[in-house]
Coordinates of all heavy atoms in Angstrom, one line a residue:
F1 N 0.8 -1.2 0.0 CA 0.0 0.0 0.0 C 0.8 1.3 0.0 O 0.5 2.3 -0.7 CB -0.9 0.0 1.2 CG -1.8 -1.3 1.3 CD1 -2.0 -1.8 2.5 CD2 -2.4 -1.8 0.2 CE1 -2.8 -3.0 2.7 CE2 -3.1 -3.0 0.2 CZ -3.3 -3.5 1.5
A2 N 1.9 1.3 0.8 CA 2.7 2.5 0.9 C 3.7 2.7 -0.2 O 3.8 3.6 -0.9 CB 3.4 2.6 2.2
E3 N 4.5 1.5 -0.5 CA 5.4 1.5 -1.5 C 4.9 1.1 -2.9 O 5.4 1.5 -4.0 CB 6.6 0.6 -1.2 CG 7.2 0.9 0.1 CD 7.8 2.3 0.2 OE1 8.2 2.8 -0.8 OE2 7.9 2.9 1.4
K4 N 3.7 0.4 -2.9 CA 3.1 0.0 -4.2 C 4.1 -0.8 -5.1 O 4.2 -0.5 -6.3 CB 2.5 1.2 -4.9 CG 1.4 1.9 -4.1 CD 0.8 3.1 -4.9 CE -0.2 3.9 -4.1 NZ -1.3 3.1 -3.5
E5 N 4.8 -1.8 -4.5 CA 5.7 -2.5 -5.3 C 4.9 -3.4 -6.4 O 4.0 -4.2 -6.0 CB 6.5 -3.5 -4.3 CG 7.5 -2.8 -3.5 CD 8.4 -3.7 -2.7 OE1 8.4 -4.9 -3.1 OE2 9.1 -3.2 -1.8
P6 N 5.3 -3.2 -7.7 CA 4.6 -3.9 -8.7 C 4.6 -5.4 -8.6 O 3.7 -6.1 -8.9 CB 5.2 -3.3 -10.0 CG 6.5 -2.8 -9.6 CD 6.4 -2.3 -8.2
T7 N 5.8 -5.9 -8.3 CA 5.9 -7.4 -8.2 C 5.0 -8.0 -7.2 O 4.3 -9.0 -7.4 CB 7.4 -7.8 -8.0 OG1 8.2 -7.3 -9.0 CG2 7.5 -9.3 -7.9
L8 N 5.1 -7.5 -6.0 CA 4.2 -8.0 -4.9 C 2.8 -7.8 -5.2 O 2.0 -8.6 -4.9 CB 4.6 -7.3 -3.5 CG 4.0 -7.9 -2.3 CD1 4.2 -9.4 -2.1 CD2 4.4 -7.1 -1.1
A9 N 2.4 -6.6 -5.7 CA 1.1 -6.3 -6.0 C 0.5 -7.3 -7.1 O -0.6 -7.7 -7.0 CB 1.0 -4.9 -6.6
A10 N 1.3 -7.7 -8.0 CA 0.8 -8.7 -9.1 C 0.7 -10.1 -8.5 O -0.3 -10.7 -8.8 CB 1.9 -8.7 -10.1
L11 N 1.5 -10.4 -7.5 CA 1.4 -11.7 -6.8 C 0.1 -11.7 -6.0 O -0.6 -12.6 -6.0 CB 2.6 -12.0 -5.9 CG 3.8 -12.6 -6.5 CD1 4.9 -12.6 -5.5 CD2 3.5 -14.0 -7.0
S12 N -0.1 -10.6 -5.3 CA -1.2 -10.5 -4.4 C -2.6 -10.6 -5.2 O -3.5 -11.2 -4.9 CB -1.2 -9.2 -3.7 OG -2.4 -9.1 -2.8
A13 N -2.5 -9.9 -6.4 CA -3.7 -10.0 -7.3 C -4.0 -11.4 -7.8 O -5.2 -11.7 -8.0 CB -3.5 -9.1 -8.5
R14 N -3.0 -12.2 -8.0 CA -3.2 -13.6 -8.4 C -3.7 -14.5 -7.2 O -4.5 -15.4 -7.5 CB -1.9 -14.1 -8.9 CG -1.5 -13.5 -10.2 CD -0.1 -14.1 -10.7 NE -0.3 -15.6 -11.0 CZ -0.6 -16.1 -12.2 NH1 -0.9 -15.3 -13.2 NH2 -0.7 -17.3 -12.4
V15 N -3.2 -14.3 -6.0 CA -3.5 -15.3 -5.0 C -4.5 -14.8 -3.9 O -5.2 -15.5 -3.3 CB -2.3 -15.7 -4.3 CG1 -1.3 -16.4 -5.3 CG2 -1.6 -14.6 -3.5
A16 N -4.7 -13.4 -3.8 CA -5.5 -12.8 -2.8 C -5.9 -11.4 -3.3 O -5.3 -10.4 -2.8 CB -4.9 -12.8 -1.4
S17 N -6.9 -11.3 -4.2 CA -7.1 -10.0 -4.8 C -8.0 -9.0 -4.0 O -8.0 -7.9 -4.3 CB -7.9 -10.2 -6.1 OG -9.1 -10.9 -5.9
T18 N -8.6 -9.5 -2.9 CA -9.4 -8.6 -2.1 C -8.8 -8.6 -0.6 O -7.9 -9.4 -0.3 CB -10.8 -9.1 -1.9 OG1 -10.8 -10.3 -1.2 CG2 -11.4 -9.2 -3.3
D19 N -9.1 -7.6 0.2 CA -8.6 -7.5 1.5 C -9.1 -8.7 2.3 O -8.3 -9.3 3.2 CB -9.2 -6.2 2.2 CG -8.5 -5.0 1.6 OD1 -7.5 -5.1 1.0 OD2 -9.1 -3.8 1.9
E20 N -10.3 -9.2 2.1 CA -10.8 -10.4 2.8 C -9.9 -11.6 2.4 O -9.6 -12.5 3.3 CB -12.2 -10.6 2.4 CG -13.2 -9.6 3.1 CD -13.2 -8.2 2.3 OE1 -12.6 -8.2 1.3 OE2 -13.7 -7.3 3.0
E21 N -9.5 -11.8 1.2 CA -8.8 -12.9 0.7 C -7.4 -12.9 1.3 O -6.8 -13.9 1.7 CB -8.8 -13.0 -0.8 CG -10.1 -13.5 -1.5 CD -10.1 -13.4 -2.9 OE1 -9.1 -12.8 -3.5 OE2 -11.0 -14.0 -3.5
L22 N -6.8 -11.6 1.3 CA -5.5 -11.4 1.8 C -5.4 -11.7 3.2 O -4.5 -12.4 3.8 CB -5.1 -10.0 1.5 CG -3.7 -9.7 2.0 CD1 -2.6 -10.5 1.3 CD2 -3.3 -8.1 1.7
S23 N -6.5 -11.3 4.0 CA -6.5 -11.6 5.5 C -6.6 -13.1 5.7 O -6.0 -13.6 6.6 CB -7.7 -10.9 6.1 OG -7.7 -11.1 7.5
A24 N -7.4 -13.7 4.9 CA -7.7 -15.2 5.1 C -6.4 -16.0 4.9 O -5.9 -16.8 5.6 CB -8.7 -15.7 4.2
L25 N -5.5 -15.6 3.8 CA -4.3 -16.2 3.5 C -3.3 -16.0 4.5 O -2.6 -16.9 5.1 CB -3.8 -15.8 2.1 CG -2.6 -16.5 1.6 CD1 -2.7 -16.3 0.0 CD2 -1.3 -15.9 2.0
L26 N -3.1 -14.7 5.0 CA -2.1 -14.4 6.0 C -2.5 -14.9 7.3 O -1.6 -15.4 8.2 CB -1.9 -12.8 6.1 CG -1.3 -12.2 4.9 CD1 -1.3 -10.7 4.9 CD2 0.1 -12.8 4.6
T27 N -3.8 -15.0 7.7 CA -4.3 -15.5 8.9 C -4.0 -17.1 8.9 O -3.7 -17.6 10.1 CB -5.7 -15.3 9.1 OG1 -5.9 -13.8 9.2 CG2 -6.2 -15.7 10.5
T28 N -4.0 -17.8 7.8 CA -3.7 -19.2 7.8 C -2.3 -19.3 8.1 O -1.9 -20.3 8.9 CB -4.0 -19.7 6.4 OG1 -5.4 -19.6 6.1 CG2 -3.6 -21.3 6.4
V29 N -1.4 -18.4 7.7 CA 0.0 -18.5 8.1 C 0.1 -18.3 9.6 O 1.0 -19.1 10.3 CB 0.8 -17.4 7.3 CG1 2.3 -17.4 7.8 CG2 0.8 -17.7 5.9
W30 N -0.6 -17.3 10.2 CA -0.6 -17.1 11.6 C -1.0 -18.4 12.3 O -0.4 -18.8 13.3 CB -1.5 -16.0 12.0 CG -1.1 -14.6 11.9 CD1 -0.8 -14.0 10.7 CD2 -0.8 -13.7 12.9 NE1 -0.4 -12.7 11.0 CE2 -0.4 -12.5 12.4 CE3 -1.0 -13.8 14.3 CZ2 -0.1 -11.3 13.1 CZ3 -0.6 -12.7 15.0 CH2 -0.3 -11.5 14.5
H31 N -2.1 -19.0 11.8 CA -2.6 -20.2 12.4 C -1.7 -21.4 12.4 O -1.4 -22.1 13.4 CB -3.9 -20.6 11.8 CG -4.9 -21.5 12.5 ND1 -4.6 -22.9 12.7 CD2 -6.0 -21.3 13.2 CE1 -5.5 -23.4 13.4 NE2 -6.4 -22.5 13.8
R32 N -1.0 -21.6 11.3 CA 0.0 -22.6 11.2 C 1.2 -22.4 12.1 O 1.7 -23.3 12.8 CB 0.5 -22.7 9.8 CG -0.4 -23.4 8.8 CD 0.2 -23.4 7.4 NE -0.6 -24.4 6.5 CZ -0.3 -24.5 5.2 NH1 0.7 -23.8 4.7 NH2 -1.0 -25.3 4.5
A33 N 1.7 -21.0 12.2 CA 2.7 -20.8 13.1 C 2.4 -21.0 14.6 O 3.2 -21.6 15.3 CB 3.3 -19.4 12.8
L34 N 1.2 -20.7 15.0 CA 0.9 -20.8 16.4 C 0.4 -22.1 16.8 O 0.6 -22.6 17.9 CB -0.1 -19.7 16.8 CG 0.4 -18.3 16.8 CD1 -0.7 -17.2 16.9 CD2 1.3 -18.1 18.1
Y35 N -0.4 -22.8 15.9 CA -1.1 -24.1 16.3 C -0.6 -25.2 15.5 O -1.1 -26.3 15.7 CB -2.6 -23.8 16.1 CG -3.2 -22.7 16.9 CD1 -3.7 -21.6 16.3 CD2 -3.2 -22.8 18.3 CE1 -4.3 -20.5 17.0 CE2 -3.8 -21.7 19.0 CZ -4.3 -20.6 18.4 OH -4.8 -19.6 19.1
A36 N 0.4 -25.1 14.6 CA 1.0 -26.1 13.9 C 0.0 -27.0 13.0 O 0.1 -28.1 12.9 CB 1.8 -27.1 14.8
C37 N -1.0 -26.2 12.5 CA -2.1 -26.9 11.6 C -2.8 -25.9 10.8 O -2.8 -24.7 11.3 CB -3.0 -27.9 12.4 SG -4.0 -26.9 13.6
D38 N -3.5 -26.4 9.8 CA -4.3 -25.4 9.1 C -5.6 -25.2 9.9 O -6.0 -26.0 10.7 CB -4.7 -26.0 7.7 CG -3.8 -25.8 6.6 OD1 -2.9 -24.8 6.7 OD2 -3.6 -26.7 5.7
P39 N -6.3 -24.1 9.7 CA -7.6 -23.9 10.3 C -8.6 -24.8 9.8 O -8.4 -25.5 8.8 CB -7.9 -22.4 10.0 CG -7.2 -22.2 8.7 CD -6.0 -22.9 8.8
P40 N -9.7 -25.1 10.5 CA -10.8 -25.9 10.0 C -11.2 -25.5 8.6 O -11.3 -24.3 8.3 CB -11.9 -25.7 11.0 CG -11.2 -25.2 12.3 CD -10.0 -24.4 11.8
T41 N -11.6 -26.5 7.8 CA -12.0 -26.1 6.4 C -13.2 -25.3 6.4 O -13.5 -24.6 5.4 CB -12.3 -27.5 5.7 OG1 -13.2 -28.3 6.4 CG2 -11.0 -28.3 5.5
S42 N -14.0 -25.3 7.4 CA -15.2 -24.5 7.5 C -14.9 -23.0 7.6 O -15.7 -22.1 7.3 CB -16.2 -24.8 8.6 OG -15.4 -24.7 9.8
E43 N -13.6 -22.7 8.0 CA -13.3 -21.3 8.1 C -12.3 -20.8 7.1 O -12.3 -19.5 6.8 CB -12.6 -21.1 9.6 CG -13.6 -21.3 10.7 CD -12.9 -21.0 12.0 OE1 -11.9 -21.7 12.4 OE2 -13.4 -20.1 12.7

């Protein structure tokens, strides 16, 4: 958002194009780091 790096922006557009998708992806990383597993498939 601040630097608007084109490479990272292009990657984000491919894997998580909305704020909600980006939050879900990054929160899965948080969940894996803290709980050593993926979140439930329902979430």
Side-chain angles (χ1 to χ4, degrees):
F1 308 139
E3 305 301 332
K4 300 184 185 299
E5 290 188 9
T7 300
L8 185 60
L11 277 173
S12 179
R14 290 179 65 90
V15 301
S17 60
T18 68
D19 290 346
E20 289 75 15
E21 290 175 347
L22 181 60
S23 180
L25 189 152
L26 294 175
T27 303
T28 299
V29 176
W30 277 69
H31 199 283
R32 283 179 166 180
L34 285 167
Y35 301 112
C37 65
D38 278 332
T41 54
S42 60
E43 294 187 294

